Amino acid sequence: MAVSLLEQWPPVLSKVQLESLTLQATTYALSHGLVYLPVATVQPPAPTSTIHAPLALFPSPFPRRLFQHAQRLQRIYNVLYARVAMDEEFLDRVMGEVEGVGKVDEFTGQLWRRWRKLRDENVPRPLQLGLFRSDYLAHAPGNGEPTSLKQVEFNTISSSFGALSERSANLHRYLFKSTQYYEVSSHLREENFPSNNTVAGLAEGLAEAHKAYGVPNARILFVVQENERNVFDQRWIEYELLEKHGIHVVRQTFRQLGQSVTVDSATRVLRITTPSGLLSDGSKSVEISTVYFRAGYTPTDYPTPEFYDTRYLLESSRAIQCPSIQLQLAGGKKVQQVLTNPGVLERFLGDSSRWGTEVFTPAELDELRSSWMDMWGLDEDVPNANPTSGPANECSGVRRARELSAKLVLKPQREGGGNNVYKEAIPAFLDSLPVQEREAWIAMELIAAPEGLGNYLVRAGGGTEGAVKAEVISELGIFGWALFGGADGRVKEKEIGWLLRTKGKDSNEGGVAAGFSVLDSVLLIDD
């Protein structure tokens, strides 16, 4: 990424231009569904108001070659994580309650035990669907090294913001078309605004699963969180399913499902009871073809064991799960780390005795590996750890984390933002972490995001003077879907779209819903 461009970004605007752009951006967002529900302890059953989602006023520069690299990698990642989810022995060893993370992490253990129960009861497993998002940062280590693409994480459950990110890209296209951005930068040209059709891609994946289920008048179940503010990101997918594919959606929380779900013991058909009078044919329940989880990725979604049992009941049906428990487990940070160990990637992508001709070349595996930072488990023995960096009885994985803490992030098996431990907070955290819980954490070298990039960040309530200029870091997410399983284990997959989230440079976390980031879009540059 060219330093000269970073030093000029965002371009200089007059006060009048800045206020005008902010007004146009916020009114466009409100007019086109780039919105959230306002903060409330309890969301009303029928919303009466919305606020625009946090947004960036300019698109953010991102190297064209790295953007295209991320798009190429998505096909390989789609296949990789589908195959991980189909490898019971591997997941039991890495994430299970006997050998793996599940024995020290209660949330992981609860999920694994339900999956184990399904297998013990010989419940037939249907196809599985993954709606994925692989997140990256541009890595600029300096010392003359070129900027490269490095993966932050791979998401296998509730991979959100596809719909709102598409609208954020449309917002920046609108600002360009309506104002030409006052011609303040020669980089702001139409060919540098990549198209974004993520909603159609996500709906396509769900529609493929629905079609494979084989009952046209069945419905897709969206499992959603209580008091969800990011409801419109989900609704746009629902509308696309109905308008383009003729598929209806049912939305329910885990709490509601505890009362409404039934699974026929003979046919394993999943049915959801709906309030009387809602269905035009007079029936009181609908058959479900696909269960799409926009909840279930955090322990707070399961306040009592009964909520885990509801998850088990859904999984025991013949409905296609998105994701299944095993695919959710495959997205654990421990799996991300173990995949970097020698020979593991070849197990899933390079072994022709297991996968026939559906394997990848050594060059493709090297390209995938090039997207990884250094990672290790805190419970593991690792080379090059300083023996004096901690107590003598500490394993070398912890000692190395102490020694390199200023350049590290520690990650647990959690999604949703706000769970990681960074840099100077690491030594004290390691002091407080019980020895038996180390296996649930990985250490990862921090990605060195390019310095000097700025933008105007706009959050609701600031008015036309609410655009705040800040030095920022932008995180690219690439979406994909994979439909897999069955007798042959084949994977049908596709790369389908992207998002860009931007945060202030001093913010470690990156979640938009958690309040750390704003929605942005890509401005392609040739670095």
Side-chain angles (χ1 to χ4, degrees):
M1 192 179 294
V3 174
S4 59
L5 176 60
L6 293 182
E7 292 173 348
Q8 300 171 38
W9 208 264
V12 176
L13 295 172
S14 69
K15 184 174 185 294
V16 172
Q17 290 170 334
L18 180 60
E19 289 182 359
S20 176
L21 275 181
T22 303
L23 176 61
Q24 292 186 67
T26 54
T27 52
Y28 181 95
L30 290 166
S31 301
H32 291 78
L34 183 53
V35 292
Y36 273 0
L37 291 179
V39 175
T41 304
V42 178
Q43 292 292 343
T48 58
S49 62
T50 63
I51 59 174
H52 69 77
L55 55 90
L57 204 54
F58 282 90
S60 288
F62 201 88
R64 190 184 310 271
R65 63 181 176 85
L66 300 187
F67 182 79
Q68 293 170 346
H69 184 193
Q71 290 179 309
R72 290 196 308 272
L73 288 181
Q74 190 61 36
R75 171 176 173 258
I76 310 176
Y77 273 120
N78 289 342
V79 174
L80 171 61
Y81 276 87
R83 289 178 177 172
V84 169
M86 291 187 285
D87 193 326
E88 295 181 2
E89 184 277 330
F90 176 82
L91 280 178
D92 283 344
R93 175 165 51 85
V94 177
M95 300 295 284
E97 189 180 46
V98 178
E99 301 179 68
V101 170
K103 69 176 182 284
V104 297
D105 183 274
E106 178 60 18
F107 176 56
T108 301
Q110 288 277 10
L111 292 173
W112 183 86
R113 285 193 291 275
R114 269 64 182 186
W115 181 41
R116 177 77 262 179
K117 183 179 179 183
L118 291 168
R119 288 183 285 163
D120 289 344
E121 295 173 354
N122 294 314
V123 175
R125 306 304 300 146
L127 294 175
Q128 303 176 52
L129 175 67
L131 295 185
F132 301 138
R133 196 188 71 224
S134 187
D135 293 335
Y136 304 93
L137 289 173
H139 180 53
N143 302 319
E145 294 184 41
T147 304
S148 59
L149 185 78
K150 296 296 182 181
Q151 188 184 59
V152 177
E153 62 184 0
F154 191 88
N155 301 276
T156 63
I157 183 169
S158 190
S159 303
S160 60
F161 290 108
L164 294 196
S165 292
E166 180 177 324
R167 275 147 188 79
S168 183
N170 292 342
L171 161 67
H172 290 142
R173 282 183 173 275
Y174 160 74
L175 292 176
F176 172 72
K177 289 180 179 179
S178 64
T179 70
Q180 297 294 303
Y181 274 107
Y182 308 111
E183 299 184 348
V184 293
S185 171
S186 61
H187 295 279
L188 290 161
R189 302 191 304 271
E190 187 168 1
E191 60 266 28
N192 292 336
F193 290 75
S195 61
N196 190 339
N197 300 301
T198 306
V199 175
L202 293 170
E204 177 189 35
L206 289 164
E208 285 286 330
H210 177 85
K211 180 181 177 181
Y213 182 82
V215 180
N217 63 347
R219 300 193 176 198
I220 292 177
L221 170 64
F222 281 25
V223 183
V224 298
Q225 292 179 319
E226 297 178 5
N227 299 310
E228 174 67 77
R229 293 181 60 214
N230 192 26
V231 63
F232 302 102
D233 186 57
Q234 303 164 11
R235 289 287 188 181
W236 284 114
I237 302 172
E238 176 183 341
Y239 304 151
E240 183 81 8
L241 283 167
L242 183 61
E243 293 169 6
K244 300 296 176 60
H245 302 278
I247 301 171
H248 291 264
V249 164
V250 177
R251 294 172 56 87
Q252 290 202 1
T253 65
F254 272 115
R255 193 178 304 278
Q256 291 170 322
L257 289 167
Q259 303 297 319
S260 68
V261 63
T262 61
V263 176
D264 186 279
S265 59
T267 65
R268 295 174 45 247
V269 167
L270 173 64
R271 300 192 71 86
I272 301 296
T273 301
T274 62
S276 179
L278 289 187
L279 300 176
S280 58
D281 62 1
S283 60
K284 294 184 179 180
S285 67
V286 293
E287 183 173 354
I288 299 300
S289 69
T290 307
V291 182
Y292 175 38
F293 289 97
R294 290 297 290 256
Y297 55 84
T298 174
T300 57
D301 287 335
Y302 305 91
T304 70
E306 288 74 21
F307 285 70
Y308 287 103
D309 292 340
T310 298
R311 177 72 182 270
Y312 163 83
L313 188 59
L314 295 170
E315 298 264 351
S316 71
S317 74
R318 65 179 292 258
I320 295 171
Q321 309 291 306
C322 179
S324 63
I325 290 177
Q326 60 264 44
L327 183 54
Q328 181 174 347
L329 292 173
K333 302 301 185 292
K334 187 64 178 177
V335 170
Q336 182 185 10
Q337 177 254 312
V338 172
L339 287 172
T340 68
N341 292 341
V344 178
L345 198 57
E346 284 77 6
R347 173 190 180 108
F348 295 106
L349 299 179
D351 186 351
S352 59
S353 66
R354 299 185 74 192
W355 310 112
T357 59
E358 299 295 316
V359 295
F360 293 85
T361 66
E364 288 173 313
L365 300 193
D366 288 343
E367 188 175 30
L368 195 73
R369 284 193 179 94
S370 73
S371 67
W372 295 340
M373 299 298 288
D374 189 23
M375 283 177 267
W376 66 91
L378 290 185
D379 64 317
E380 297 178 0
D381 286 324
V382 297
N384 305 320
N386 187 341
T388 66
S389 59
N393 62 343
E394 275 190 341
C395 68
S396 57
V398 174
R399 292 202 306 271
R400 190 178 183 204
R402 290 185 185 278
E403 180 185 1
L404 302 178
S405 59
K407 299 187 292 184
L408 296 180
V409 54
L410 302 185
K411 296 183 175 185
Q413 312 305 307
R414 296 290 181 272
E415 304 298 335
N419 301 300
N420 299 334
V421 181
Y422 292 84
K423 295 186 288 192
E424 63 275 0
I426 289 176
F429 174 78
L430 292 174
D431 290 339
S432 67
L433 183 66
V435 172
Q436 65 272 20
E437 294 183 17
R438 290 173 180 169
E439 191 170 347
W441 290 79
I442 70 164
M444 175 177 162
E445 183 185 355
L446 282 169
I447 301 168
E451 299 282 343
L453 179 65
N455 210 322
Y456 291 97
L457 312 183
V458 183
R459 291 183 168 85
T464 57
E465 299 180 355
V468 177
K469 187 177 181 180
E471 190 171 347
V472 299
I473 295 172
S474 293
E475 184 172 313
L476 175 70
I478 302 293
F479 289 94
W481 62 259
L483 184 65
F484 59 95
D488 59 6
R490 288 188 175 273
V491 180
K492 183 178 183 179
E493 57 77 34
K494 191 174 182 179
E495 177 266 312
I496 56 174
W498 55 271
L499 67 75
L500 198 74
R501 292 174 296 176
T502 291
K503 63 183 181 181
K505 181 186 174 185
D506 296 329
S507 173
N508 286 322
E509 297 290 350
V512 177
F516 303 110
S517 298
V518 304
L519 293 169
D520 199 349
S521 74
V522 169
L523 181 72
L524 296 175
I525 62 168
D526 297 308
D527 61 334

